[in-house]
Structures are given as C-alpha cells and as structure tokens.
Amino acid sequence: MSRLNPLLQRLSQSKPFMRKSGYNLLIFASWIPALVFFNENVGQVAKISGASMYPYLNTSYNEGRSKDLCWVNKWSPGQNLQRGMLVSFWSPSHPEVLAIKRIIAVEGDVVYPRAPCPSPKAEIPAGHVWVEGDNRDGRRSLDSNYYGPIPINLVQGKVTNILWPWASSGPIRWWEFKGKTKVVEGRREDAPQWS
Amino acid sequence: MPAPHTPLQYLINTYSGHPLRLFTVTLRTVLSLHLFVTHGYGYSTTWGASMLPTFEILLDGLLVSKYYRRGRGIQVGDVITFDSVVEPGQKVIKRVLGLEGDYVMRDTPGSGSLEMLQVPKGHCWVIGDNLPHSRDSRHFGPMPMALIRGKVIAKIQPFSERKWVTNGLTPVDEG
C-alpha cells in the first residue's frame, strides 16, 4: 500500500486531459455489455466463409478472396422456421463454429439425402430441421447429410439480408428457393415424437 | 448549489432532471448484469425426477458456471445444463457419461442389450442419475456439445442443504 500511495496521488493530481480520457475509456467500456447483448440477441453481421452456399452466397468464390457479408436476425431464432430459410447455427460437429446453411426440411417431412448419409431416407423428428448447403457438390458442404437432422435449439439466427458485395446485396428471398433435394412435405403434428 | 460531497448528493446532481442520462445508465447496468449471468455465473432451478438422488424433484436452486458453455473443459462425470435436443426452448440438467471418441453403452444396463457405440465428433453422451425416469441420450442419441449452457457447480437452495456438486464418478476398484 505504501508503494501504491504515491501512484494514486500522482493519478489524482494528473493533468485534466489524462483524467478526462480515462473517464471516457470507462464510459466506452460500460457500453460493451450492450454491444454483446445486441450481437447475441438482436442482430449481427456475419462473414460467409467457404463455398458451401455457392453460388447463392460467396458468388465470387472462384474469382478472389473476398467474402460476402450478411445480416443475421437473432430475435427468437427457433420460431417459425420454414423450408428455404437461411439460418445460422452452432455446428453439431464443431461446437465453436457458427455455420450458415439452408433449411431443406422441417419436422414431419421425409428427405431423400445425398452421398455421405448412410440411410436412403430420413424422417425429420419433432424439434429438428434438416439443413444443407446450396453447393451442388456435396463434398463442399458439411451439413445434415453428415450429422443428420439438427435440434432447433442449435439455431441462433435467420440470415435476412446480403450486405456485401453491392451487386448481390438486398433482402434474401428464401421463399423463391427451389431445391434439388427430394423432400416429401409432411405435417408438423405427424413428426416422430420422442417417447 | 453546494458542491457534491456525499455520494448521494453526487447521484442526485448527476441524474436528477437528466432523464436520458438516467435511462442510459440503467440500460448499461441491466445489460452488465445480463452479461454476467450469460457468461459468468447463473442460477437455475430443477424440475423433474431425472436427477434424483443428486437433486430433488422440484425447485432446488443451482449455481451454474457459464465458462463451460458449448462444452469448453467439460469432463466425464460433470453435471451440465443444456438446451433440450428434443423440445425447442426447454432447458435440461443431466450428467455427462461420454465425450467425443468414447465408447458408450446404447441402452440401460440390465436391459439385455449390450450394444456399444462411439460418440461422434463434437458430441457427448448425457444420462440422468435416475435411470428409470430420465429422458436422455438413450432416447435421443449423442448430444451436440454446442447445446451446453454451463456446468452445475453447487446446490445453493434450500440453504440448509447447500453443497458443492462434484464429479460423481470414481474409477472402478479392481482390487
């Protein structure tokens, strides 16, 4: 304490400029929790990495290193999920990675999956969705064909807008999506339940 | 107006008659507490018989460390809270019995089936302490670690029954 006292004295007597900037720094820090809350519960800008959503996102994947930026709406993420929506979710196989894929089927549907999936037919159980990347080459996308239907609780947000590049920026018209994967649409009430 | 000598006088001078200032400082305080609860330590209550006898059926108060969210540093034997695999919006408390790469028994011991399976990458195997009354990995299979919210470190309510929640698994005595 005896060594700390001169330091405290010097700080309290320091020039108004130093005191002022220290105060401003404190005010800035006090807004960080608000920023974290906004990013986790309201919305966030997400950078798209990889080719799994090519050609819809990262359209210039083969031409350069630039990556698309998207707006993710994080308000009530698990509610009202529809076929065709783009969602961001924690990857089941990599817990610290937020993945962005397209919802192909919702609970109650039957999917006929592609290559790495061991079974020819998958029923989507209650509380789950089936997600896939847009890329025609299944090896470019780590999706439900590898890890099966994902729990809705993993979904963190819905991708609503493309922000960058300018050429493709605008709202995402997910309802216009026509998939290549064969899906037999069912009713949510008929989804396999967990006993 | 006298110079602000007491903290109360300071608060009155700063916020009285400044509604915007009062609003932002309230917002920052509430969101700081929210950050502490989501990333530091949280409180959770039990509901259901699946963790008997470790926790009672109704309203035991538990202290949860959020450092372990998404399975960081989780070990076999830890009691965790996580978002339900099955029901959107539900939270569940179970014990971890296997991590990625481990071999676990598919069904209840004594049920006749001896099927084993390997827990896939990024997943864990969770089981309730009360085997007959627990809906867990035996029903829904391996659980993605990303669903983990935190690790239960203590029971704090009722206060007379307070205790640290420790790793309940001990190595088999082979002697």
Side-chain angles (χ1 to χ4, degrees), chain A residues 39-55:
Chain A
N39 275 345
E40 290 189 348
N41 297 285
V42 183
Q44 192 180 23
V45 177
K47 195 185 246 180
I48 312 297
S49 54
S52 83
M53 291 303 284
Y54 179 89

Side-chain angles (χ1 to χ4, degrees), chain A residues 9 33 77 96:
Chain A
Q9 264 171 18
E96 300 288 343

Side-chain angles (χ1 to χ4, degrees), chain B residues 18-155:
Chain B
H18 295 93
L20 188 68
R21 215 184 265 178
L22 186 65
F23 172 73
T24 59
V25 81
T26 312
L27 191 74
R28 281 177 287 165
T29 311
V30 169
L31 293 180
S32 302
L33 291 175
H34 181 266
L35 186 75
F36 180 78
V37 167
T38 50
H39 291 73
Y41 293 92
Y43 174 82
S44 183
T45 49
T46 59
W47 191 91
S50 77
M51 284 303 279
L52 281 173
T54 315
F55 305 128
E56 296 298 327
I57 292 179
L58 208 58
L59 300 180
D60 267 5
L62 307 175
L63 185 67
V64 181
S65 168
K66 300 294 172 68
Y67 168 81
Y68 298 88
R69 62 187 182 278
R70 296 197 288 286
R72 298 172 181 173
I74 288 288
Q75 294 184 333
V76 171
D78 289 344
V79 181
I80 57 167
T81 68
F82 58 96
D83 294 318
S84 168
V85 176
V86 177
E87 282 175 74
Q90 289 278 340
K91 279 190 211 163
V92 195
I93 298 171
K94 295 275 184 279
R95 197 182 288 277
V96 176
L97 280 197
L99 295 172
E100 57 181 18
D102 292 353
Y103 286 90
V104 292
M105 199 174 188
R106 178 77 188 80
D107 298 296
T108 318
S111 67
S113 161
L114 291 175
E115 189 190 340
M116 302 289 281
L117 67 84
Q118 190 177 20
V119 180
K121 185 172 166 50
H123 289 63
C124 61
W125 193 260
V126 287
I127 298 288
D129 283 0
N130 188 4
L131 285 178
H133 294 98
S134 171
R135 184 163 73 174
D136 45 40
S137 280
R138 290 170 296 165
H139 303 87
F140 52 72
M143 184 203 81
M145 297 260 261
L147 288 174
I148 296 176
R149 283 288 183 97
K151 176 172 131 180
V152 178
I153 52 174
K155 171 171 161 178

Side-chain angles (χ1 to χ4, degrees), chain A residues 1 13 16 28 53 65 89 115 120 170 178:
Chain A
M1 202 61 204
Q13 290 163 2
F28 176 77
M53 291 303 284
R65 292 165 57 86
F89 57 93
K178 295 275 182 292

Side-chain angles (χ1 to χ4, degrees), chain A residues 3 8 10 15 17 22 31 39 42 48 67 78 94 97 116 118 138 141 158 170 174-176 183 185 187-189:
Chain A
R3 228 189 285 172
L8 286 174
R10 216 177 328 144
K15 291 167 190 152
F17 169 74
W31 280 103
N39 275 345
V42 183
I48 312 297
K67 290 172 176 173
H94 301 85
V97 176
S141 170
K158 304 179 180 98
W174 55 265
W175 52 90
E176 291 172 357
V183 179
E185 296 186 5
R187 290 189 304 172
R188 281 174 197 249
E189 310 86 84

